[in-house]
């Protein structure tokens, strides 16, 4: 069955648009009528509103989540010859951002329950050239930030959070993305807060990082045509900013619905071959993804596909196993928990417009799975 004929889609942004179409259309029309499309009023207002939502001093809109990480690392002083530590199971864009800063990627293994960096592994990976740590709040679950920050402070290392999947999620009642020196968000369309194209932002309370990212995103300009540093072109445009402004007031309700769907799956999925995600006591998961584990993952995915249920694997190949990062010289077995997860995780449909009937179909179908012998 083709993806366009699935009984239960993995995501459906058209459903979301149907609910908020008037607000989005008005936002886009406002930009078109004003005739200002880059670094204008909509971006300034979104930056202020998202900063208020997160509880930080500054938000700087940029072109994508990957560029947010790249520019935040660069503004924090990371450059050629430095090392930056992150999780082995992250999506490759995290590593791409580190590489773009000129630094070397250093990986650590994960906690198999949270899917996030193991602080104990982190401390062992720190060397004389370590300049920053990028904890990834994978799937919308917080990394354990207190021990990470403790290590970073003792070693005088910057912490730049990869909060690309963590909009509205929290750690000890504090929003993710504002706990380290900077936090980086992606607004890719499928995110909990998504634009209608690529977009991202850096959140920070640090004056120097905020100033640096603002300059870096716009060719290094201090003021127009006066370039203080070598920069880039990475600006969140006015149309995307206006759309994000229209969506932001809905984010908490959308996250609440995702949590309701997750609780249903938690209650109703009873297949002994499936491990359900755990929500750690220190934070509130936003369930950007509901990632189960199954030793027969590929067979389970095929079973669900045959029943018209779309699923996705996030992520099947760890960073160190990617051809692009062969220079890390880390073979199979280097990060066993990350590699085990990569071979077993399967993301089930979880998006706010999913109906109760569809959720039940998914749970019942997972329960009906038995591997062929």
């Amino acid at each position: 069955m083709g993806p366009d004929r699935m009984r239960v889609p993995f995501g459906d942004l058209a459903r979301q648009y149907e609910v908020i179409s008037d607000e989005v259309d008005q936002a886009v029309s406002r930009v078109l009528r004003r005739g200002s499309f880059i670094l204008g009023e909509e971006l300034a207002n979104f930056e202020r509103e998202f900063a208020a939502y997160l509880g930080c001093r500054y938000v700087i809109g940029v072109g994508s989540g990957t560029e947010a990480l790249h520019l935040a690392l660069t503004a924090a002083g990371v450059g050629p010859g430095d090392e930056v530590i992150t999780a082995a199971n992250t999506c490759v864009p995290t590593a791409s951002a580190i590489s773009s800063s000129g630094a070397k990627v250093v990986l650590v293994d994960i906690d198999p329950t949270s899917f996030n960096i193991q602080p104990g592994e982190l401390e062992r990976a720190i060397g004389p050239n370590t300049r920053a740590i990028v904890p990834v709040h994978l799937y919308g679950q917080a990394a354990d930030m207190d021990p990470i920050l403790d290590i970073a402070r003792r070693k005088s290392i910057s912490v730049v959070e990869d909060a690309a999947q963590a909009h509205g999620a929290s750690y000890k009642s504090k929003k993710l993305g504002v706990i380290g020196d900077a936090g980086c968000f992606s607004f890719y369309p499928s995110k909990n807060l998504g634009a209608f194209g690529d977009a991202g932002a850096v959140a920070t309370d640090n004056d120097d990082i905020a100033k640096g990212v603002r300059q870096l995103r716009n060719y290094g300009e201090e003021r127009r045509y006066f370039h203080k540093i070598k920069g880039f072109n990475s600006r969140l445009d006015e149309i995307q900013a206006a759309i994000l402004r229209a969506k932001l007031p809905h984010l908490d309700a959308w996250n609440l619905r995702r949590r309701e769907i997750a609780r249903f799956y938690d209650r109703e999925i009873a297949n002994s071959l499936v491990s359900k995600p755990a929500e750690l006591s220190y934070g509130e998961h936003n369930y950007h993804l509901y990632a189960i584990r199954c030793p027969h993952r590929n067979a389970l995915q095929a079973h669900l596909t045959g029943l018209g249920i779309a699923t996705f694997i996030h992520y099947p190949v760890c960073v160190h196993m990617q051809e692009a990062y062969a220079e890390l010289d880390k073979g199979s077995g280097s990060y066993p928990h990350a590699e085990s997860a990569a071979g077993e995780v399967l993301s089930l449909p979880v998006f706010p417009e999913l109906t109760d009937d569809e959720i039940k179909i998914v749970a019942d179908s997972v329960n009906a799975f038995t591997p062929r012998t």
Side-chain angles (χ1 to χ4, degrees):
M1 183 178 293
D4 56 335
R5 298 180 60 193
M6 288 291 178
R7 292 169 64 200
V8 183
F10 186 74
D12 190 341
L13 293 173
R15 294 189 195 182
Q16 183 188 82
Y17 176 68
E18 288 176 6
V19 176
I20 60 169
S21 59
D22 287 346
E23 296 161 73
V24 170
D25 290 352
Q26 288 171 19
V28 173
S29 178
R30 187 170 66 238
V31 175
L32 298 179
R33 289 196 303 271
R34 189 181 292 128
S36 175
F37 301 104
I38 301 293
L39 295 180
E41 182 178 332
E42 295 295 336
L43 176 58
N45 285 332
F46 173 69
E47 290 174 336
R48 185 185 69 252
E49 290 159 8
F50 195 46
Y53 174 82
L54 294 172
C56 65
R57 294 175 64 197
Y58 307 110
V59 163
I60 306 97
V62 297
S64 70
T66 307
E67 292 172 6
L69 282 167
H70 168 210
L71 300 188
L73 288 167
T74 302
V78 174
D82 293 330
E83 295 181 350
V84 176
I85 301 172
T86 194
N89 66 330
T90 187
C91 191
V92 163
T94 309
S96 298
I98 296 169
S99 298
S100 295
S101 75
K104 177 184 176 182
V105 176
V106 175
L107 302 174
V108 294
D109 209 353
I110 60 165
D111 174 80
T113 301
S114 70
F115 296 106
N116 291 321
I117 281 178
Q118 280 194 35
E121 295 291 323
L122 174 61
E123 187 143 25
R124 285 190 285 273
I126 291 174
N129 297 321
T130 304
R131 189 64 179 264
I133 301 164
V134 178
V136 181
H137 305 303
L138 199 66
Y139 307 152
Q141 169 114 268
D144 193 357
M145 292 300 295
D146 281 351
I148 293 171
L149 290 170
D150 177 64
I151 293 166
R153 287 168 184 148
R154 285 191 281 109
K155 302 288 187 178
S156 299
I157 296 168
S158 298
V159 175
V160 176
E161 299 171 70
D162 183 339
Q165 300 179 348
H167 314 73
S170 63
Y171 177 80
K172 297 185 178 180
S173 301
K174 191 169 185 179
K175 290 284 196 297
L176 297 180
V178 299
I179 299 170
D181 296 287
C184 300
F185 292 88
S186 166
F187 303 120
Y188 187 79
S190 61
K191 303 300 188 189
N192 293 36
L193 179 63
F196 283 6
D198 281 317
V202 176
T204 186
D205 286 323
N206 185 294
D207 293 340
D208 292 335
I209 291 177
K211 179 180 178 181
V213 172
R214 282 202 187 94
Q215 289 181 337
L216 288 165
R217 74 175 175 183
N218 196 39
Y219 312 112
E221 281 188 347
E222 187 172 50
R223 53 194 174 93
R224 193 163 191 179
Y225 301 131
F226 290 82
H227 301 263
K228 185 79 170 178
I229 56 177
K230 295 181 177 69
F232 308 90
N233 178 359
S234 180
R235 301 172 300 209
L236 198 166
D237 69 69
E238 287 289 280
I239 288 177
Q240 301 303 340
I243 291 166
L244 290 167
R245 290 186 69 199
K247 286 187 168 191
L248 181 58
H250 298 278
L251 176 58
D252 285 343
W254 288 339
N255 282 348
L256 179 61
R257 176 57 175 165
R258 287 175 180 270
R259 290 177 58 78
E260 289 173 350
I261 295 168
R263 294 288 81 83
F264 185 92
Y265 285 155
D266 289 345
R267 291 192 309 270
E268 299 299 323
I269 293 177
N271 191 320
S272 62
L273 296 171
V274 170
S275 298
K276 292 168 282 189
E279 182 174 43
L280 279 294
S281 60
Y282 55 57
E284 185 171 281
H285 205 312
N286 74 2
Y287 289 98
H288 172 63
L289 296 172
Y290 187 92
I292 61 174
R293 295 185 67 161
C294 179
H296 309 280
R297 188 265 311 283
N298 293 346
L300 173 57
Q301 184 177 45
H303 162 78
L304 295 173
T305 300
L307 295 173
I309 297 167
T311 59
F312 212 86
I313 300 171
H314 299 88
Y315 301 96
V317 183
C318 292
V319 174
H320 64 290
M321 305 296 287
Q322 300 282 354
E323 184 177 355
Y325 286 90
E327 77 271 9
L328 298 180
D329 196 25
K330 298 287 187 179
S332 178
S334 298
Y335 308 100
H337 291 307
E339 292 169 31
S340 176
E344 295 183 354
V345 291
L346 184 67
S347 299
L348 301 182
V350 54
F351 61 96
E353 297 78 25
L354 205 59
T355 69
D356 290 347
D357 287 344
E358 288 172 328
I359 301 163
K360 188 173 189 310
I361 288 170
V362 174
D364 289 348
S365 299
V366 171
N367 288 335
F369 171 69
T370 55
R372 294 179 181 178
T373 57

